[in-house]
Amino acid sequence: MRQMAADRSRERVSIGDLFQTMGDRAIGALMLIFALPNAFPTPPGTSSLLGAPLIFLAAQLTFGLKPWLPKAIAARSMRREDFETIVGRIHPWLARAERMLQPRLGILVEPPAEYLAGFCCLVLAIVLVLPVPLGNILPAIAISIFAFAILGRDGLFSLLGFVMTAVSLAVAGGVIYGLVKAAIYVVMKWFG
């Protein structure tokens, strides 16, 4: 990514360019790229925009499909300068995470556990797209952890991803339950 960001001959960097550069690690890298920004508070609508490609990628991981992107997604691009700024900001974090990654607990990053991780990411990506207040942070963190597990073939990170999935779904479920109960209460008061 740093090489692409520093390539002054490029005017723009597309998702397709990233996909080709990453090769067999593309699905994990793209999941990380789409999930990580949602791990921080973002403007409304950002999680829906970034969550849609995550649903697509997670579905591919779930069913063990070879990663590919439709042209509508692959053609999306940004200015190389903007990409360079993003890479500059996330590089220190990625470097730290990469130092922690190591191939271990291989059974948790190979099929069928990899397919289960994909299914968890699919469910989390759907939650990410939903308009749940602050409902994007924990699912985005969990998806990012799974992405690191895929990139580093690290089963320990995958195990942590499964734990974060349970926490994320419990919190999101509690928030949704609370919103539904509040809506019922307001409707009952209004019509009661």
Side-chain angles (χ1 to χ4, degrees), residues 63-145:
F63 298 109
L65 301 175
K66 186 176 186 218
W68 67 276
L69 292 171
K71 287 185 180 182
I73 294 175
R76 290 184 181 204
S77 66
M78 67 172 59
R79 292 183 3 190
R80 188 207 50 84
E81 293 83 7
D82 295 337
F83 182 71
E84 187 175 25
T85 301
I86 291 169
V87 169
R89 286 185 185 160
I90 66 171
H91 181 263
W93 294 93
L94 292 177
R96 273 189 222 125
E98 201 168 51
R99 283 192 296 271
M100 290 188 292
L101 294 172
Q102 58 185 340
R104 56 188 159 195
L105 299 173
I107 195 165
L108 293 174
V109 288
E110 296 171 1
E114 184 178 54
Y115 303 150
L116 179 59
F119 178 73
C120 288
C121 288
L122 179 60
V123 171
L124 291 165
I126 291 169
V127 170
L128 192 71
V129 172
L130 296 175
V132 177
L134 299 176
N136 58 334
I137 295 173
L138 289 178
I141 290 171
I143 293 171
S144 297
I145 291 170

Side-chain angles (χ1 to χ4, degrees), residues 152-172:
R153 308 305 296 162
D154 192 335
L156 186 60
F157 269 69
S158 190
L159 189 60
L160 183 58
F162 288 121
V163 171
M164 279 300 298
T165 297
V167 171
S168 299
L169 294 178
V171 170

Side-chain angles (χ1 to χ4, degrees), residues 7-103:
D7 184 359
R8 303 252 183 249
S9 67
R10 291 178 181 269
E11 205 171 296
R12 300 187 70 78
V13 176
S14 72
I15 293 173
D17 294 336
L18 285 170
F19 198 73
Q20 286 180 333
T21 301
M22 297 294 180
D24 63 339
R25 295 168 49 141
I27 199 159
L30 287 174
M31 286 175 64
L32 185 63
I33 287 167
F34 288 117
L36 203 54
N38 288 301
F40 306 98
T42 56
T46 304
S47 62
S48 295
L49 179 68
L50 296 174
L54 275 172
I55 291 172
F56 189 78
L57 292 166
Q60 291 177 25
L61 185 60
T62 301
F63 298 109
L65 301 175
K66 186 176 186 218
W68 67 276
L69 292 171
K71 287 185 180 182
I73 294 175
R76 290 184 181 204
S77 66
M78 67 172 59
R79 292 183 3 190
R80 188 207 50 84
E81 293 83 7
D82 295 337
F83 182 71
E84 187 175 25
T85 301
I86 291 169
V87 169
R89 286 185 185 160
I90 66 171
H91 181 263
W93 294 93
L94 292 177
R96 273 189 222 125
E98 201 168 51
R99 283 192 296 271
M100 290 188 292
L101 294 172
Q102 58 185 340

